[in-house]
Amino acid sequence: GYSDLVAVAYMDLLLGTAKSGCLGEVSILALLIGAAYLLIRGVIKPWVPLAYIGTLAVMVTLAGQDPIYHILSGGLIIGAFFMATDYTTSPLTLRGKIIFGVGCGLLTGLIRLFGGMTEGVSYSIVIMNILVPHLERWTKPVSLGGGVSRV
């Protein structure tokens, strides 16, 4: 039936046999194995990828589209786990990481749903990278006793 066809299509997307793409972005399974390795070794934290993928999934679901298709297609997985978590261009604070991931998800969703470009992942990450210094400043923790003096 229909559900069998959908399952086969998802499996093709997971294995990378359903589409062509840039080197390294077509096999979602291989990317997830690499992401798991980085997470287990503590090289990256899960906050940016979870916020990124979760935000995009909610956004496309609200738009009436299939979130699993959006997660398994395009460069979302490579972008979320390997590009958006880059040390030099992503926020250091936890709140900054979550805001960064949500921003990437919203921008990717907007580009995919309303833009004329085929992919929004790279553009959304670059746009959010521009905002990282501001995110750092806005989410910087205040040290104990470092607040405003009330004299």
Side-chain angles (χ1 to χ4, degrees), residues 3-96:
S3 62
D4 294 334
L5 291 174
V6 171
V8 169
Y10 288 158
M11 187 57 69
D12 287 340
L13 287 170
L14 188 67
L15 298 175
T17 59
K19 62 185 174 84
S20 61
C22 296
L23 181 65
E25 80 173 10
V26 294
S27 178
I28 303 304
L29 181 61
L31 290 170
L32 290 174
I33 291 169
Y37 175 79
L38 293 178
L39 288 165
I40 290 167
R41 295 291 309 253
V43 176
I44 62 172
K45 302 291 183 205
W47 309 118
V48 171
L50 287 176
Y52 192 167
I53 295 167
T55 301
L56 179 69
V58 168
M59 188 173 184
V60 298
T61 300
L62 292 174
Q65 294 192 11
D66 183 5
I68 298 172
Y69 175 77
H70 277 272
I71 291 169
L72 295 178
S73 63
L76 180 65
I77 298 298
I78 196 168
F81 285 100
F82 298 96
M83 294 166 61
T85 57
D86 179 49
Y87 289 148
T88 58
T89 59
S90 62
L92 298 174
T93 64
L94 177 59
R95 287 185 301 164

